[in-house]
């Protein structure tokens, strides 16, 4: 009787041990959240235009640095840039930031356009910029005197790409917008619904003169192909985040191309987690973490409570993206119910910093 009891006990304990070993083996790739917190991180797409007292501590907590990305907005005949704001912020806390400048094709018909643009870029690089951003004003905003939209593959821009190749400067390219911009706004659950509702000037559906999504993407692809030595990081998952097989096609075709994830986590969450996970595994050397988070007001215009709320929201926003990438639980991202990707430590280390440093330094 007694030996039968202990025999049963041994069998049960053995079973538990086998289950534990099996669970441990399955866990071998996943990373503890504590380890993840300390993993070096670069948010390669941020717009922290103004200084914040809380930022150093916040960034330290996540072991994170960010790239401050300038954007040039065209307002009638003038160009609104914020490089000087970013530069001030960068100078104040240079250990936390990288600097990214920008230019547009406004004035491309002027004989001194190239000379002036190169001078401006050279000046910004000498002040600390290590990247250049091109924005969707190529293809969607800037027009020549005849009303033609200037596309990113316009041959008049070639001396600028050659200059950036020579200086080994990567370009972060937000060209085009999600396909949703060319469709009527019907579905409030679409991850881009609020953006086009609040920024109707970029809802291309309302402006039939703007080139089609296909024309803009084609021009972008041709530009990437024709400049094989230019290091191009296509922001927002190459403006085709709703269909990662299209992104994969570009990554297969163009070795000089990488992609950034900013503000497209909702599109990823709409797609099957296993498929998205396989995409991250396959292209682990070509994907970079970015958010498009930032601020737009100096802290002198904000109350203590405003700043506290801002920090809490920022922490929540980052945490959600981290959870999606690191954990494998059920999660809701931009109204989309999905499962976290549970990426391995190796893949996380690459997309959070190793790919960025390789692209920047090699
Ligand atoms: Zn941005």
């Amino acid at each position: 009787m007694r030996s039968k009891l202990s025999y049963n006990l041994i069998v049960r304990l053995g079973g538990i041990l086998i289950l534990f070993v099996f669970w441990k083996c399955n866990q071998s790739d996943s990373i503890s959240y504590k380890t993840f917190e300390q993993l070096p991180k670069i948010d390669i797409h941020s717009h922290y235009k103004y200084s914040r007292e809380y930022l150093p501590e916040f960034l330290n907590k996540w072991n994170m640095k960010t790239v401050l990305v300038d954007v040039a907005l065209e307002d009638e005949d003038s160009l609104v840039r914020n490089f000087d704001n970013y530069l001030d912020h960068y100078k104040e806390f240079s250990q936390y930031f990288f600097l990214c400048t920008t230019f547009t094709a406004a004035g491309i018909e002027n004989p001194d356009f190239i000379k002036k643009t190169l001078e401006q870029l050279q000046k910004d690089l000498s002040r600390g910029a290590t990247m250049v951003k091109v924005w969707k004003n190529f293809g969607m905003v800037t027009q020549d005197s005849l009303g033609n939209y200037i596309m990113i593959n316009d041959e008049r821009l070639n001396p600028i790409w050659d200059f950036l190749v020579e200086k080994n400067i990567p370009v972060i390219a937000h060209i085009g917008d999600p396909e949703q911009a060319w469709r009527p706004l019907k579905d409030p659950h679409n991850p881009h619904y609020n953006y086009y509702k609040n920024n109707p000037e970029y809802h291309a559906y309302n402006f039939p003169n703007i080139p089609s999504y296909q024309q803009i993407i084609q021009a972008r692809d041709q530009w990437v192909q024709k400049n094989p030595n230019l290091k191009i990081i296509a922001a927002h998952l190459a403006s085709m985040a709703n269909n990662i097989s299209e992104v994969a096609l570009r990554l297969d075709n163009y070795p000089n191309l990488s992609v950034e994830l900013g503000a497209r986590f909702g599109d990823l969450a709409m797609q099957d987690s296993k498929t998205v996970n396989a995409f991250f595994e396959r292209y682990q050397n070509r994907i970079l973490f970015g958010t498009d988070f930032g601020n737009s007001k100096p802290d002198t215009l904000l109350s203590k409570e405003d700043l506290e709320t801002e920090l809490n929201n920022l922490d929540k926003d980052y945490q959600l993206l981290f959870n999606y990438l690191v954990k494998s639980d059920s999660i809701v991202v931009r109204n989309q119910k999905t499962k976290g990707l549970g990426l391995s430590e190796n893949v996380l280390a690459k997309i959070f910093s190793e790919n960025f440093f390789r692209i920047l330094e090699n």
Side-chain angles (χ1 to χ4, degrees), residues 203-243:
H203 189 199
Y205 177 74
N206 296 328
F207 305 97
N209 286 341
I210 291 183
S212 69
Y213 175 77
Q214 286 74 13
Q215 283 171 317
I216 291 175
I217 295 301
Q218 227 171 51
R220 192 273 318 273
D221 288 350
Q222 205 184 69
W223 166 64
V224 177
Q225 188 179 26
K226 286 200 163 172
N227 293 279
N229 297 320
L230 184 64
K231 296 186 274 192
I232 297 171
I233 303 168
H236 308 300
L237 278 160
S239 295
M240 36 188 43
N242 60 330
N243 187 351

Side-chain angles (χ1 to χ4, degrees), residues 192-210:
H192 307 292
Y193 181 88
N194 283 332
Y195 178 79
Y196 293 114
K197 201 162 176 264
N198 300 329
N199 300 277
E201 71 274 28
Y202 298 120
H203 189 199
Y205 177 74
N206 296 328
F207 305 97
N209 286 341
I210 291 183

Side-chain angles (χ1 to χ4, degrees), residues 160-169 227-231:
I160 299 171
W161 313 134
D162 294 343
F163 168 81
L164 296 175
V165 169
E166 189 196 307
K167 299 278 173 192
N168 198 25
I169 297 294
N227 293 279
N229 297 320
L230 184 64
K231 296 186 274 192

Side-chain angles (χ1 to χ4, degrees), residues 251-303:
L251 289 169
D252 287 341
N253 284 343
Y254 312 125
N256 55 327
L257 186 72
S258 305
V259 290
E260 177 265 349
L261 304 169
R264 296 297 179 268
F265 286 81
D267 299 79
L268 291 178
M270 284 175 89
Q271 297 166 73
D272 173 54
S273 282
K274 275 196 185 139
T275 314
V276 178
N277 189 296
F279 173 81
F280 274 79
E281 277 293 328
R282 172 135 197 225
Y283 300 102
Q284 55 184 271
N285 296 319
R286 318 271 295 278
I287 301 172
L288 294 96
F289 176 76
T291 60
D292 219 357
F293 295 159
N295 58 39
S296 54
K297 281 185 191 160
D299 55 359
T300 46
L301 295 182
L302 297 168
S303 68

Side-chain angles (χ1 to χ4, degrees), residues 48-63:
Y48 298 108
K49 210 180 292 176
Y50 298 100
S51 179
R52 290 287 190 266
E53 242 174 60
Y54 64 70
L55 264 180
E57 197 187 322
F58 174 77
L59 293 170
N60 270 338
K61 180 181 106 170
W62 291 110
N63 197 13

